Amino acid sequence: MRDTEAAGRAPSIRVEFPAEGPAGPVDGVALVFLDRPKVLNALDFVMIAELTDALEALDGDPACRVIVLTGAGERAFAAGADINELAVQTPTTLLADDHFHRWERLKRIRKPLIAAVRGFALGGGCELAMTCDLIVAGDDAQFGQPEIRLGVMPGAGGTQRLTRAIGKARAMELVLTGATIDAREAEARGLVTRVVPAAETVAAALELAATVAGMPPLAVIAAKDAVNRAEELGLEDGLAFERRSFYLLFGSHDQREGMAAFVEKRRPSWTGS
Ligand code: CO8
């Protein structure tokens, strides 16, 4: 949190551990807010630093098994990078400060990250949602990469992840025109996991998070990693990675427990070991 102190302002990331979800007690789920609602949660460098710090702390916290990331307020997940801050950058300042290297750290978070998206997820906000493993969208959500309208282009994964998610034809149109797609189209094209009524977005994400948090933690981490590798590896390498991870899980207590519980017709009790 050094950057926050240096900037002398209130934290722009808030972390809660909700005790109750829509379907009962929630255990092991952290709820992280992007908390600059007056500017539609625009991501400035301090906020990116705080976010990576917070997520890495949660990744190392045994009390947390799944992270839900959402925007404070009802209007936006995040309306992109902070344009006031970007407006004064030069190639030299960007290279010297290299704030965006932190972005790379987001994809190294090992625990599942669920984006709960209401309203705008634009530019860096859309890229942040796409960096998450699952996206629960409210029916008011809008996704897009409007950087072209600012004289630039996506810089934190938009051209790559959006294209992989929705295909070249539509991704190219969004990136070249700055147009947005709504939640229903995002769902139909496979960008989001599910769409729910806007007011229920966080509750639905927490419910999904609670379900995942109830699964064996080591298998969850290994499975998340393997699915994400599918976007990076060729099929042969991906299958080899998956098989190796599968074999490794047979060294876990939870594998023995899960299979014994099935045979004994009882509920498994996971230890994450
Ligand atoms: N940066 C800074 N301030 C913003 C941003 C932003 N991205 N988006 C909104 N705001 C501010 C507005 O300036 C306004 O502030 P104020 O009340 O002080 O005037 C407040 O939020 C509310 O916004 P509006 O009044 O504009 O609300 P509207 O409902 O009229 O419009 C929109 C909402 C359509 C979302 C509009 O605000 C907009 O177009 N915002 C900019 C969207 C955009 O271009 N995003 C891309 C930014 S560039 C980027 O993301 C590059 C990513 C590179 C890597 C990122 C790593 C983090």
Side-chain angles (χ1 to χ4, degrees):
M1 299 294 154
R2 285 182 311 277
D3 293 320
T4 303
E5 285 159 19
R9 70 178 205 197
S12 46
I13 298 296
R14 184 158 46 91
V15 180
E16 295 176 4
F17 280 91
E20 283 292 320
V26 175
D27 197 20
V29 177
L31 178 58
V32 178
F33 290 88
L34 306 167
D35 199 6
R36 297 180 75 209
K38 285 186 182 151
V39 288
L40 305 182
N41 303 316
L43 301 150
D44 67 3
F45 296 146
V46 169
M47 193 182 200
I48 295 171
E50 288 183 15
L51 178 64
T52 43
D53 285 350
L55 294 182
E56 285 174 351
L58 290 169
D59 209 28
D61 181 350
C64 170
R65 292 202 289 280
V66 180
I67 303 165
V68 174
L69 178 62
T70 195
E74 297 177 352
R75 295 202 54 216
F77 177 72
D82 189 308
I83 298 170
N84 297 307
E85 193 175 54
L86 281 188
V88 296
Q89 300 301 316
T90 66
T92 322
T93 59
L94 289 172
L95 193 60
D97 300 333
D98 199 17
H99 294 285
F100 294 108
H101 80 276
R102 287 179 173 272
W103 204 260
E104 291 302 306
R105 285 162 49 189
L106 294 177
K107 75 173 191 203
R108 290 200 282 275
I109 301 296
R110 298 168 68 212
K111 293 172 183 170
L113 264 171
I114 302 177
V117 177
R118 288 199 65 173
F120 300 111
L122 302 177
C126 186
E127 290 167 320
L128 179 57
M130 290 190 295
T131 304
C132 295
D133 303 302
L134 298 153
I135 302 178
V136 175
D139 57 14
D140 62 350
Q142 284 186 49
F143 299 86
Q145 300 289 157
E147 291 91 339
I148 199 90
R149 298 184 182 185
L150 299 168
V152 289
M153 60 175 280
T159 61
Q160 305 303 298
R161 290 206 172 93
L162 191 64
T163 305
R164 282 169 166 78
I166 70 173
K168 176 180 167 181
R170 191 72 166 123
M172 186 70 87
E173 185 184 11
L174 297 191
V175 168
L176 294 187
T177 67
T180 59
I181 57 173
D182 64 18
R184 288 291 167 205
E185 182 177 350
E187 183 183 40
R189 291 181 179 277
L191 179 64
V192 308
T193 308
R194 71 179 56 128
V195 177
V196 298
E200 296 166 22
T201 310
V202 171
L206 287 175
E207 195 175 341
L208 179 58
T211 302
V212 177
M215 299 295 150
L218 288 177
V220 165
I221 285 172
K224 160 181 163 152
D225 194 15
V227 173
N228 282 332
R229 299 276 171 153
E231 293 194 325
E232 290 165 10
L233 299 177
L235 184 60
E236 279 306 310
D237 289 341
L239 291 172
F241 183 85
E242 177 193 79
R243 197 163 49 246
R244 206 155 41 240
S245 302
F246 177 75
Y247 291 163
L248 273 177
L249 288 172
F250 281 74
S252 69
H253 167 274
D254 284 345
Q255 173 268 329
R256 291 188 294 284
E257 167 65 8
M259 295 187 182
F262 179 84
V263 172
E264 293 160 17
K265 300 191 186 307
R266 60 174 173 82
R267 287 172 70 92
S269 172
W270 309 123
T271 61
S273 59

